């Protein structure tokens, strides 16, 4: 049965496309191999405090919060008549060279400022590659291939989980046997392979004269209350709201003005065409973004991330400085975590994607609160009274936490991929993901601030119990705002 599924996937999308998607996401997951070394670089060599390390990590991951910019670039400004592959090549180069430079120049690794700059540049390349591949997936699953939407998402996340498993397994081991510069150089091999693999995928050049993107703006209209796009000539119920008619009138007026401008400037320069393309994309994006099935879940998901202070880096310091857990074991814990992510992906597609999102998200946050209880047990040493080893608590928390997080993420990935209108796939999908990443980044900054306020340092973790307690209470807060999720919405579009 699985062989038949793989054969249909290959026949529908082609082996080179599936290989590239798998490789990009595998590389994303395998970054755990090198980020383990980065964590020890900040703690043992740069001697940064827990809050300072948390701050560096937050800054380094900030490029993931502006993903719509990369989507707009790839959607509106093609290079050599192509929208996706050239940007994938650029992003891969940006991902490759920081690791090469850090591996070859020891002086750059010895400064927190230069390390932060190169890590930020590397994340810029990774985030851009993620946007481009997401857009390629969204384009690939439209129309008759929509039935493969969940399968492609499962393939991508499973590849990332597999990369995370191998990266975590090898990361802890190599730290005990190799130098950090060698680890950086070894990791650069994967982006190099990804760069070469871009040549395997063929992308049809855009016919600029046809301006097909603008025809999509004219002929496509996003359904007001629901979950998919309809053609303009498809009968729909007339709204009773005069405000909606007024807003639609304004939007159609802008489209007519844009169409007129297109007809006037079509023979003009590429700059004029790209300017029109950019404006067209913004109009389409604004129209799509207003839809409740996109806007309301995005608002909830952003809040659910930003409201919870991220103390992961602080807990890493506690586990290594107080509990004296070695790098190899922490790598094993991450392997368990990535395995939990794979299980979460499978469990969602098998059992939960037809369930109401409100129920899935409520139980997900209750589960995450229970995981925070494990951290409280670990910090308060309550588990010692129950004769439970430290390592068991760490392993259980890693496995359950990553699995439950997938129950939050998978529904929105599938919905966003199916709702992307032609021409702005990268931008709309990236907008959703950037909201998620911005919320996570702000949550990380909040965690750094909380650690600083509580005076948590490498020498003193006395107040960590209060930080973890705040994290637990904050995890339950988003449940009160689940009314932002459409009542009947599920992980499937109708």
């Amino acid at each position: 049965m699985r062989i038949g599924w793989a054969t249909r996937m290959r026949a529908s999308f082609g082996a080179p496309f599936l290989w590239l998607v798998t490789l990009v996401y595998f590389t994303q997951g395998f970054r755990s191999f090198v980020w383990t070394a980065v964590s020890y670089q900040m703690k043992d060599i740069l001697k940064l405090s827990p809050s300072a390390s948390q701050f560096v990590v937050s800054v380094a991951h900030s490029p993931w919060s502006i993903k719509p910019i990369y989507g707009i670039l790839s959607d509106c400004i093609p290079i050599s008549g192509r929208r996706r592959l050239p940007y994938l090549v650029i992003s891969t180069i940006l991902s490759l060279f920081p690791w090469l430079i850090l591996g070859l120049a020891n002086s750059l690794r010895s400064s927190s400022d230069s390390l932060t700059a190169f890590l930020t540049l590397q994340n810029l390349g990774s985030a851009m590659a993620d946007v481009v591949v997401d857009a390629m997936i969204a384009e690939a699953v439209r129309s008759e291939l929509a039935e493969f939407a969940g399968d492609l998402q499962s393939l991508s996340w499973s590849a990332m989980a597999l990369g995370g498993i191998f990266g975590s397994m090898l990361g802890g081991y190599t730290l005990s046997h190799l130098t950090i510069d060698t680890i950086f150089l070894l990791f650069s091999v994967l982006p190099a392979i990804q760069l070469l693999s871009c040549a395997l995928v063929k992308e049809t050049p855009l016919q600029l004269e046809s301006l097909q993107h603008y025809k999509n703006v004219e002929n496509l209209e996003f359904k007001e209350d629901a979950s998919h796009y309809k053609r303009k000539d498809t009968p729909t119920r007339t709204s009773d709201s005069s405000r909606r008619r007024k807003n639609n009138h304004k939007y159609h007026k802008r489209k007519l003005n844009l169409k007129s401008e297109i007809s006037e400037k079509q023979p003009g320069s590429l700059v004029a065409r790209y300017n029109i393309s950019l404006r067209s994309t913004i109009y389409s994006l604004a129209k799509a973004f207003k839809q409740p099935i996109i806007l309301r879940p995005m608002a909830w998901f952003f809040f659910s991330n930003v409201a919870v202070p991220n103390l992961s880096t602080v807990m890493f310091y506690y586990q290594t400085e107080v509990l004296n857990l070695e790098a190899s074991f922490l790598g094993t814990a991450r392997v368990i975590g990535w395995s939990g992510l794979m299980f979460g992906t499978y469990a969602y597609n098998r059992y939960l994607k037809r369930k109401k999102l409100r129920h899935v998200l409520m139980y997900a946050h209750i589960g995450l609160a229970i995981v925070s209880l494990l951290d409280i047990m670990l910090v308060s040493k309550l588990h010692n009274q129950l004769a439970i080893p430290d390592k068991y608590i760490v392993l259980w928390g890693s496995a359950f936490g990553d699995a439950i997080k997938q129950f939050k993420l998978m529904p929105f990935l599938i919905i966003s991929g199916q709702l992307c209108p032609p021409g702005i796939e990268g931008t709309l999908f990236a907008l959703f993901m950037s909201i998620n990443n911005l919320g996570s980044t702000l949550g990380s900054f909040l965690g750094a601030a909380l650690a600083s306020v509580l005076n948590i340092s490498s020498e003193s973790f006395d107040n960590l119990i209060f930080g973890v307690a705040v994290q637990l209470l904050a995890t339950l807060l988003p449940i009160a705002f689940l009314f932002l999720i459409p009542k009947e919405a599920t992980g499937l579009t109708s």
Side-chain angles (χ1 to χ4, degrees):
M1 181 177 179
R2 301 304 295 177
I3 296 178
W5 171 83
T7 301
R8 289 189 295 114
M9 289 277 286
R10 180 177 179 179
S12 300
F13 301 107
F17 175 78
L18 295 177
W19 160 253
L20 187 61
V21 169
T22 302
L23 180 61
V24 169
Y25 276 93
F26 180 88
T27 304
Q28 296 281 25
F30 198 78
R31 294 198 311 161
S32 59
F33 170 80
V34 72
W35 275 90
T36 302
V38 170
S39 298
Y40 278 93
Q41 173 85 7
M42 293 188 293
K43 182 177 77 74
D44 295 336
I45 299 178
L46 299 181
K47 304 296 183 182
L48 298 181
S49 66
S51 59
S53 292
Q54 185 85 47
F55 182 82
V56 168
V57 171
S58 302
V59 172
H61 283 86
S62 60
W64 290 86
S65 302
I66 55 173
K67 291 172 67 176
I69 296 177
Y70 322 137
I72 289 175
L73 287 174
S74 66
D75 284 336
C76 301
I77 307 179
I79 299 176
S80 300
R82 292 170 171 82
R83 292 193 302 169
R84 308 303 181 199
L85 283 179
Y87 286 100
L88 186 58
V89 171
I90 293 172
S91 63
T92 304
I93 292 174
L94 291 176
S95 299
L96 170 63
F97 280 96
W99 297 121
L100 288 176
I101 295 173
L102 288 173
L104 296 173
N106 179 63
S107 60
L108 294 178
R109 297 195 309 273
S110 301
S111 167
S112 60
D113 292 338
S114 60
L115 179 64
T116 302
F118 279 107
L119 292 178
T120 303
L121 180 62
Q122 190 278 325
N123 275 290
L124 173 64
S126 296
M128 185 182 295
D130 189 72
V131 169
V132 174
V133 172
D134 282 343
M136 294 171 69
I137 290 175
E139 289 175 337
V141 299
R142 186 169 289 113
S143 64
E144 68 274 7
L145 298 180
E147 63 178 295
F148 291 105
D151 295 314
L152 269 183
Q153 291 294 348
S154 296
L155 174 66
S156 60
W157 281 97
S158 297
M160 187 171 70
L162 191 62
I165 289 174
F166 281 104
S168 298
M169 288 176 59
L170 296 175
Y173 174 80
T174 53
L175 268 175
S176 303
H177 297 80
L178 300 175
T179 60
I180 290 180
D181 58 332
T182 303
I183 293 175
F184 288 163
L185 292 175
L186 283 175
F187 179 78
S188 65
V189 172
L190 273 180
I193 296 175
Q194 182 177 309
L195 184 63
L196 295 175
S197 299
C198 290
L200 300 177
V201 178
K202 305 300 180 183
E203 182 180 8
T204 304
L206 294 175
Q207 297 297 324
L208 291 177
E209 291 72 19
S210 67
L211 293 178
Q212 185 63 39
H213 172 60
Y214 312 124
K215 293 182 181 179
N216 290 329
V217 175
E218 173 64 19
N219 295 328
L220 284 175
E221 183 173 80
F222 201 94
K223 189 177 178 182
E224 289 295 330
D225 60 341
S227 54
H228 60 288
Y229 283 88
K230 282 193 170 185
R231 287 287 171 186
K232 195 174 177 182
D233 55 1
T234 303
T236 58
R237 273 188 282 181
T238 304
S239 172
D240 294 328
S241 170
S242 59
R243 178 178 58 82
R244 179 174 293 179
R245 288 199 302 268
K246 183 177 180 181
N247 290 340
N248 284 341
H249 173 72
K250 290 180 180 179
Y251 180 72
H252 291 310
K253 184 177 180 180
R254 287 197 299 267
K255 288 199 298 182
L256 290 175
N257 291 338
L258 181 62
K259 184 181 179 184
S260 174
E261 188 173 347
I262 291 170
S263 62
E264 292 174 1
K265 294 188 177 182
Q266 183 169 345
S269 66
L270 289 177
V271 175
R273 292 177 179 178
Y274 294 158
N275 178 55
I276 297 172
S277 176
L278 179 61
R279 292 174 57 188
S280 169
T281 297
I282 293 174
Y283 289 149
S284 299
L285 183 62
K287 183 69 173 178
F289 188 74
K290 291 178 181 178
Q291 307 312 307
I293 200 170
I294 293 180
L295 178 59
R296 293 167 67 90
M298 278 185 178
W300 183 88
F301 203 48
F302 173 79
F303 176 75
S304 71
N305 284 322
V306 75
V308 183
N310 185 340
L311 297 172
S312 59
T313 302
V314 179
M315 289 300 298
F316 166 76
Y317 273 70
Y318 179 80
Q319 291 167 359
T320 55
E321 296 292 332
V322 177
L323 303 182
N324 296 316
L325 300 180
E326 61 276 8
S328 58
F329 172 76
L330 293 179
T332 302
R334 290 305 306 141
V335 169
I336 299 298
W338 283 106
S339 301
L341 185 147
M342 293 184 68
F343 172 78
T345 301
Y346 168 79
Y348 175 81
N349 279 296
R350 182 68 175 85
Y351 302 107
L352 300 177
K353 66 181 178 182
R354 291 178 175 82
K355 304 294 183 181
K356 292 182 179 180
L357 288 186
R358 287 189 181 185
H359 296 162
V360 173
L361 296 173
M362 179 183 69
Y363 289 121
H365 268 260
I366 292 174
L368 290 174
I370 294 175
V371 173
S372 293
L373 277 176
L374 293 177
D375 287 338
I376 289 180
M377 290 182 62
L378 191 67
V379 174
S380 65
K381 310 249 182 226
L382 179 61
H383 62 291
N384 290 339
Q385 301 178 21
L386 302 175
I388 302 176
D390 298 338
K391 294 183 177 182
Y392 285 6
I393 300 295
V394 173
L395 291 176
W396 292 342
S398 184
F400 291 136
D402 286 345
I404 294 171
K405 287 175 184 177
Q406 283 303 97
F407 298 159
K408 286 181 57 178
L409 192 56
M410 285 298 294
F412 297 106
L413 291 174
I414 294 173
I415 289 176
S416 297
Q418 292 180 341
L419 291 179
C420 290
I424 60 169
E425 301 91 347
T427 309
L428 183 59
F429 203 95
L431 178 61
F432 163 74
M433 291 306 299
S434 67
I435 288 176
N436 168 43
N437 294 323
L438 178 60
S440 298
T441 299
L442 294 178
S444 186
F445 278 118
L446 182 61
L450 180 61
S452 180
V453 168
L454 295 175
N455 294 318
I456 299 173
S457 66
S458 300
E459 294 78 28
S460 175
F461 292 91
D462 295 339
N463 294 327
L464 181 56
I465 184 68
F466 299 110
V468 179
V470 170
Q471 185 182 57
L472 186 151
L473 294 175
T475 301
L476 296 173
L477 186 59
I479 296 177
F481 295 88
L482 280 173
F483 63 85
L484 291 172
I485 305 296
K487 186 176 182 180
E488 300 300 326
T490 68
L492 297 173
T493 55
S494 58

